[in-house]
Amino acid sequence: VSANSQTVAAGALSAAPSAGFSAQNVIAGNSGVTLGRFVLDATASGEDIRVTSIQIRGLTGTNADLDDLNSLQLFDGATSLNTGTNVVNPSGNALAADANLTFTLDASALTLSRGTSKVLDLKGNIISTTTPTSNTTYVFDFSAGSPDWGVTGVSTGQSISESLATGSANAVTVVTSGTLTASLDSSSPSEKWYAAGSSGITVGIFKFNGTN
């Protein structure tokens, strides 16, 4: 009689910027802006994973300063993983200086079941005194700097070395303001005749487009 085999696997966690996060423009003074999105993958793990801290590299353009961002939090859906004193407020960084940002997660905030993955959003505020110029850009990924995460196996308590993708994520560009354009839509009706007393008539269709 031949039984099914059981494969022994160590705990494992990989992380990469999400391909679903597109480059975008945001307005200075905005709050709760999504600055990055990351996929944490435990599909190859032999046990459930507990994450206590996450390190993300903040890359700045030539006219960007990490100190112009505050209240940085990681979200699992609508749930913030670092609240209170664990909220990250960058300080002491020079203009165009890149830095590693360490997020200490709230107690028992993030557990991944083996064979599953999660998507986390990085959100924060852009201070209103920011003066956007060319290359006021931010990129958050794992492309540089030494990884320094707190990852352990739930069952064994053993430390797990995370595997971080080194590809660059898409940039967030800070701009001064948005723009609104209005135009007559191509589906707007041409000249027509209607009987007096008619109701519910479409007399025009307009297109409004908000940028940034």
Side-chain angles (χ1 to χ4, degrees), residues 139-164:
V139 175
F140 294 93
D141 58 25
F142 315 118
S143 61
S146 301
D148 188 15
W149 289 34
V151 184
T152 57
V154 172
S155 299
T156 65
Q158 292 183 349
S159 179
I160 295 172
S161 296
E162 64 281 355
S163 174
L164 304 181

Side-chain angles (χ1 to χ4, degrees), residues 6 10 19 22 32 36 48 55 61 69 81 87 94 97 131 137 150 156-157 166 168 190 192 194:
Q6 299 293 321
S22 302
D48 295 349
Q55 189 175 87
L69 307 177
L81 302 179
V87 174
T131 304
T137 60
T156 65
T166 57
S168 180
S190 56
K192 293 184 178 181
Y194 294 96

Side-chain angles (χ1 to χ4, degrees), residues 92-159:
N93 297 287
L95 185 69
D98 303 336
N100 289 334
L101 302 174
T102 300
F103 295 81
T104 300
L105 307 187
D106 298 347
S108 303
L110 182 58
T111 301
L112 283 81
S113 300
R114 63 178 181 173
T116 66
S117 62
K118 280 184 178 290
V119 176
L120 303 184
D121 284 343
L122 170 61
K123 297 183 180 182
N125 305 335
I126 302 171
I127 63 174
S128 58
T129 55
T130 301
T131 304
T133 57
S134 61
N135 296 319
T136 308
T137 60
Y138 298 92
V139 175
F140 294 93
D141 58 25
F142 315 118
S143 61
S146 301
D148 188 15
W149 289 34
V151 184
T152 57
V154 172
S155 299
T156 65
Q158 292 183 349
S159 179

Side-chain angles (χ1 to χ4, degrees), residues 65 67 89-94 97:
D65 190 338
D67 292 355
N89 295 292
S91 63
N93 297 287

Side-chain angles (χ1 to χ4, degrees), residues 26-28 132 175-179 211-212:
V26 296
I27 300 172
V175 296
T176 303
S177 63
T179 58
T211 304
N212 302 334

